[in-house]
Amino acid sequence: MLNILALVYRDQNKYKEAAHLLNDALAIREKTLGKDHPAVAATLNNLAVLYGKRGKYKEAEPLCKRALEIREKVLGKYHPDVAKQLNNLALLCQNQGKYEEVEYYYRRALEIYQSKLGADDPNVAKTKNNLATCYLKQGKFKDAESLYKEILTRAHEKEFGSVNNDNKPIWMHAEEREESKAKRKDAVPYGEYGSWYKACKVDSPTVNTTLKSLGALYRRQGKLEAAETLEECATKTRKQGIDAINQSKVVELLKDGAPGGGERRQNREGFSGPQRGDCEGDDGAEWNGEGNGSLRRSGSFGKIRDALRRSSEMLVKKLQGSGPQEPLSFLFSSGLSASNVDLSRRSSLIG
């Protein structure tokens, strides 16, 4: 409960109060569970992220390293949760300009994700994106460009199949337009490869970020035609994403209006149990993970708030005799049992 309240304070920008609560929670968990328990690592990570949000990177780094040591000891050095901790540590080091360490941590995280989750896991692209940002900050533009192209090529292959002369990823089209611009009076219509937005679905924001990042890199190199091609594709992707999100909201509203819709909505939001790629083990604290080295708020509390509101409404209806005859224990059925109100599996990455 101290963890939950601390994260509420964090989302209200009450960082000092949140830090006090997290330190209290840490002391309790160390005493009752032992200093090498995963829950201790989760609280350490929350404290590290909290200090990071306040710009206290030196104070945050040892906490993050201790959380990493615990997870490596308990879960093994090649567990995905270890990779997520490595990502957090890399971002803390990046904000201190420790680029050699940043590269090391990102490369380790990337190796874990690729070996354990596969090349198409979203965390692979996110980590490559973050590593590319590290290269940019050091002026290693060719290394960054190579990673951006890897991300876009993989997204293309996943959506359209193997690359060949008749099936090229968007960055190849961009470079071809750049090379042939002097030979053409009019630009080739964008529509000839406009369907590439399919490779940048709503659930793949990292690909869209990569389009913009590589576009910016092309501009730096003076490749304006190539840059405009990627930027135009990113804009089209964003529009398609917004349309898809609005459409999915309508579908969800229709489903929620059907019998049993509320239960399905809960399951979609993930309260019925952990899902693949949704096990960060950090009680809701997370890094942005899109390559800019900043923090963002977790969506955990919005989901919890909605779940508790719906549960409370059902409980009130039951007590008034107007609702479905659900057991009173339903209030805690959304993954928030009285004995385990730990959000350690309710956030999504990173980065």
Side-chain angles (χ1 to χ4, degrees), residues 99-299:
Y99 294 116
E100 288 186 7
E101 293 180 48
V102 174
E103 285 189 35
Y104 170 73
Y105 293 136
Y106 277 145
R107 288 187 179 280
R108 271 199 62 196
L110 188 58
E111 181 184 0
I112 294 171
Y113 284 137
Q114 288 177 324
S115 63
K116 295 298 182 181
L117 302 180
D120 291 326
D121 187 83
N123 289 309
V124 172
K126 288 179 181 180
T127 305
K128 284 184 176 181
N129 214 326
N130 284 347
L131 180 55
T133 298
C134 175
Y135 286 146
L136 289 178
K137 290 181 179 293
Q138 298 176 80
K140 298 179 178 180
F141 302 120
K142 289 186 178 180
D143 291 330
E145 183 177 342
S146 177
L147 282 176
Y148 289 142
K149 288 178 178 179
E150 283 182 20
I151 295 170
L152 297 180
T153 300
R154 189 65 189 180
H156 181 92
E157 290 174 338
K158 187 177 178 182
E159 187 65 36
F160 302 109
S162 300
V163 174
N164 54 50
N165 289 333
D166 299 319
N167 184 29
K168 299 176 182 178
I170 190 70
W171 66 266
M172 287 187 180
H173 284 291
E175 292 193 349
E176 286 178 358
R177 290 187 69 177
E178 181 67 35
E179 291 173 2
S180 62
K181 65 180 180 182
K183 302 176 184 179
R184 291 182 287 110
K185 293 182 178 179
D186 300 315
V188 176
Y190 174 75
E192 73 175 55
Y193 47 83
S195 63
W196 205 88
Y197 74 86
K198 293 178 182 177
C200 312
K201 299 185 183 70
V202 180
D203 60 351
S204 303
T206 306
V207 177
N208 189 265
T209 299
T210 303
L211 285 170
K212 291 183 281 190
S213 298
L214 183 55
L217 191 53
Y218 279 147
R219 283 195 176 278
R220 184 185 183 92
Q221 297 169 348
K223 299 178 180 178
L224 302 185
E225 189 80 17
E228 289 175 5
T229 301
L230 297 188
E231 289 162 0
E232 190 174 358
C233 185
T235 301
K236 184 178 179 65
T237 301
R238 183 176 181 276
K239 181 180 183 303
Q240 293 289 343
I242 293 172
D243 291 343
I245 290 172
N246 291 336
Q247 185 177 10
S248 67
K249 286 181 179 178
V250 173
V251 171
E252 286 200 8
L253 287 172
L254 291 174
K255 287 184 178 180
D256 289 340
E263 182 180 354
R264 284 195 298 273
R265 180 177 171 187
Q266 270 192 306
N267 289 336
R268 283 196 303 276
E269 290 182 340
F271 282 96
S272 59
Q275 299 176 3
R276 182 176 180 272
D278 196 33
C279 307
E280 185 146 11
D282 64 359
D283 293 348
E286 59 181 317
W287 290 95
N288 180 283
E290 297 300 340
N292 60 11
S294 64
L295 288 160
R296 68 180 170 90
R297 295 180 180 178
S298 166

Side-chain angles (χ1 to χ4, degrees), residues 12-156:
Q12 295 175 348
N13 298 324
K14 297 178 180 179
Y15 299 134
K16 188 175 181 179
E17 295 91 333
H20 287 316
L21 293 177
L22 286 175
N23 276 303
D24 289 344
L26 179 62
I28 293 172
R29 284 182 162 175
E30 287 181 329
K31 182 177 180 180
T32 58
L33 302 174
K35 292 190 175 183
D36 291 332
H37 195 277
V40 173
T43 306
L44 286 167
N45 184 67
N46 278 352
L47 269 172
V49 172
L50 186 64
Y51 286 142
K53 287 172 71 69
R54 299 171 68 185
K56 297 185 176 183
Y57 306 119
K58 290 184 179 180
E59 293 89 337
E61 187 179 342
L63 297 173
C64 203
K65 284 183 175 179
R66 188 183 158 203
L68 175 62
E69 290 173 1
I70 294 172
R71 286 177 167 165
E72 286 180 329
K73 182 178 181 179
V74 176
L75 304 173
K77 291 189 175 183
Y78 289 92
H79 192 279
D81 283 355
V82 170
K84 290 174 183 177
Q85 195 69 58
L86 285 165
N87 262 295
N88 280 3
L89 184 53
L91 285 165
L92 284 173
C93 290
Q94 182 166 299
N95 280 285
Q96 299 175 72
K98 300 178 180 180
Y99 294 116
E100 288 186 7
E101 293 180 48
V102 174
E103 285 189 35
Y104 170 73
Y105 293 136
Y106 277 145
R107 288 187 179 280
R108 271 199 62 196
L110 188 58
E111 181 184 0
I112 294 171
Y113 284 137
Q114 288 177 324
S115 63
K116 295 298 182 181
L117 302 180
D120 291 326
D121 187 83
N123 289 309
V124 172
K126 288 179 181 180
T127 305
K128 284 184 176 181
N129 214 326
N130 284 347
L131 180 55
T133 298
C134 175
Y135 286 146
L136 289 178
K137 290 181 179 293
Q138 298 176 80
K140 298 179 178 180
F141 302 120
K142 289 186 178 180
D143 291 330
E145 183 177 342
S146 177
L147 282 176
Y148 289 142
K149 288 178 178 179
E150 283 182 20
I151 295 170
L152 297 180
T153 300
R154 189 65 189 180
H156 181 92

